Amino acid sequence: MNGGFVARAGPGFNILSGLTSVLGGVVAYYALGHAQAALPYAIALAAASLLYVAVADLIPGLHRQNRGGAGVWQVVLIASGVLLIFYLAGHWSTQTIE
């Protein structure tokens, strides 16, 4: 036995696991049309999660620094990044795709 499987059963389970990924790809392809409506909400949720993790990691680090201007500088850079995202989102949403 190797990894809990008999040696002859290993290739069969390997093929079975490969077929499940193909099946998942086919199901995802046909479900894509229905998922398009949920895409903006999924992207917003992913972006909010990323921002939460980034800020939750950055803020405690800001409180531990001894230099007075370092925290202010980092907050200015974070705000600049957020403003850049708002600007680019507004700029791209006004362009038409031909």
Side-chain angles (χ1 to χ4, degrees), residues 32-86:
L32 182 62
H34 300 293
Q36 289 289 350
L39 187 61
Y41 303 108
I43 291 174
L45 181 65
S49 299
L50 178 70
L51 286 175
Y52 172 76
V53 169
V55 171
D57 190 41
L58 287 175
I59 298 299
L62 293 176
H63 290 293
R64 285 191 295 266
Q65 289 190 0
N66 295 330
R67 295 179 291 157
V72 173
W73 180 243
Q74 288 186 6
V75 170
V76 167
L77 289 174
I78 292 170
S80 300
V82 170
L83 290 174
L84 178 64
I85 290 170
F86 277 122

Side-chain angles (χ1 to χ4, degrees), residues 4-6 8-20:
F5 293 104
V6 179
R8 289 176 294 200
F13 282 113
N14 194 11
I15 291 171
L16 182 65
S17 69
L19 289 176
T20 59

